[in-house]
């Protein structure tokens, strides 16, 4: 079946540091890949997505590239802000699971001034 | 923001009692989902619905039932709550079951079973 593995957290960075959160996946067929973000006390919000190999999703300075050869979808941001502190989830959908999402375990990011 | 309302937002109850959580949407989306969020597990799918009266099981459905009598409402019921069902529950909606369509989430219900 489908699975998503995210890097272990929590991740603590200083403001303006470079961020990478690793995500790898196992899936049948050609899944779509997503990054969701969860701010304290809130639900998940879609951050970005990519629906086919070599697509790059981007939003709010965050980027992730769908790498089919390495089955990866790593999240990056060149300069993080305190307001980026949140939990980040990598997820996939598609193939035999249709629209049902499979999530990674989440990575807690804390950014200090 | 997608029009999704979960109720209640917080609930504390005792083992063995029935509990019903409600998800209400104003987007007229066909697909609705219930997830639970637990540390170290991300979100896991409990049940989902692909139309009125059409539901199916997800990854962690034991101990849960659902009903959807109207497009806008999707109810999750714990018939006899257990401490292992203490969790944060999220409802999500989507326009289609095509994998490239994102889901939109409610703000969650924090449920504690004592």
């Amino acid at each position: 079946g489908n699975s998503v593995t995210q890097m272990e957290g929590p991740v603590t960075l200083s403001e303006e540091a470079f961020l990478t959160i690793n995500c790898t996946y196992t899936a049948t067929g050609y899944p779509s890949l997503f990054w969701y973000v969860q701010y304290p006390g809130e639900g998940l919000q879609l951050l970005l997505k990519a629906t086919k190999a070599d697509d790059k999703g981007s939003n709010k300075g965050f980027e992730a590239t769908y790498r089919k050869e390495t089955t990866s979808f790593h999240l990056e941001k060149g300069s993080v802000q305190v307001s980026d502190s949140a939990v980040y989830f990598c997820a996939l959908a598609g193939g035999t699971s249709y629209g049902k999402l499979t999530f990674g375990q989440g990575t807690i990011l804390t950014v200090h001034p | 923001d997608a029009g999704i309302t979960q109720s209640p937002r917080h609930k504390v109850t005792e083992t063995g009692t029935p509990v019903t959580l409600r998800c209400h949407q104003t987007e007229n989306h066909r697909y609705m989902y219930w997830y639970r969020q637990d540390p170290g597990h991300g979100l896991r799918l409990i049940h989902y619905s692909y139309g009125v009266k059409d539901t199916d099981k997800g990854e962690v459905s034991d101990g849960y039932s659902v009903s959807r009598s109207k497009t806008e409402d999707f109810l999750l019921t714990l018939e006899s709550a257990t401490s292992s069902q203490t969790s944060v529950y999220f409802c999500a909606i989507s326009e289609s079951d095509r994998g490239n369509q994102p889901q939109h989430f409610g703000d969650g219900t924090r449920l504690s079973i004592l």
Side-chain angles (χ1 to χ4, degrees):
Chain A
N2 296 341
S3 67
V4 176
T5 302
Q6 287 181 236
M7 65 183 290
E8 295 282 336
V11 174
T12 303
L13 296 173
S14 297
E15 205 164 27
E16 300 183 3
F18 184 85
L19 169 70
T20 299
I21 301 178
N22 290 339
C23 172
T24 57
Y25 68 90
T26 302
T28 54
Y30 301 92
S32 294
L33 300 173
F34 304 87
W35 278 100
Y36 283 86
V37 59
Q38 182 181 31
Y39 299 102
E42 298 183 10
L44 279 70
Q45 301 175 23
L46 177 68
L47 181 59
L48 53 84
K49 71 174 187 179
T51 59
K52 60 182 186 296
D54 299 325
D55 266 2
K56 177 185 282 188
S58 61
N59 186 26
K60 299 181 181 180
F62 290 90
E63 294 182 339
T65 301
Y66 188 159
R67 301 286 189 199
K68 191 164 179 63
E69 64 275 15
T70 55
T71 62
S72 65
F73 193 54
H74 305 321
L75 182 68
E76 296 181 336
K77 187 175 185 183
S79 176
V80 294
Q81 305 301 311
V82 172
S83 57
D84 293 327
S85 299
V87 184
Y88 292 82
F89 293 93
C90 185
L92 69 81
T96 56
S97 67
Y98 297 97
K100 296 187 288 294
L101 283 168
T102 299
F103 285 90
Q105 68 268 38
T107 301
I108 300 171
L109 171 66
T110 302
V111 180
H112 292 297
Chain B
D1 289 343
I4 307 169
T5 304
Q6 291 188 232
S7 59
R9 292 294 313 279
H10 303 272
K11 187 172 182 65
V12 179
T13 190
E14 294 183 346
T15 300
T17 60
V19 177
T20 295
L21 308 182
R22 181 180 183 235
C23 177
H24 178 78
Q25 60 142 331
T26 58
E27 305 297 319
N28 202 36
H29 285 352
R30 178 178 174 185
Y31 297 86
M32 299 184 75
Y33 307 83
W34 276 108
Y35 295 89
R36 60 178 290 174
Q37 182 181 16
D38 304 290
H41 291 279
L43 277 74
R44 291 178 292 175
L45 182 64
I46 304 172
H47 281 281
Y48 64 99
S49 170
Y50 45 96
V52 173
K53 296 189 182 349
D54 292 324
T55 65
D56 207 347
K57 296 179 180 180
E59 178 188 0
V60 289
S61 59
D62 287 349
Y64 301 95
S65 62
V66 290
S67 65
R68 191 166 178 204
S69 58
K70 297 184 291 184
T71 298
E72 57 265 36
D73 288 327
F74 192 32
L75 304 181
L76 176 70
T77 297
L78 291 65
E79 300 289 350
S80 178
T82 68
S83 58
S84 64
Q85 294 175 310
T86 291
S87 187
V88 182
Y89 292 85
F90 287 98
C91 173
I93 65 174
S94 66
E95 289 185 83
S96 81
D97 69 342
R98 293 180 61 187
N100 60 1
Q101 295 301 309
Q103 294 179 17
H104 304 281
F105 287 79
D107 286 337
T109 294
R110 184 173 296 276
L111 178 63
S112 297
I113 314 294
L114 305 179

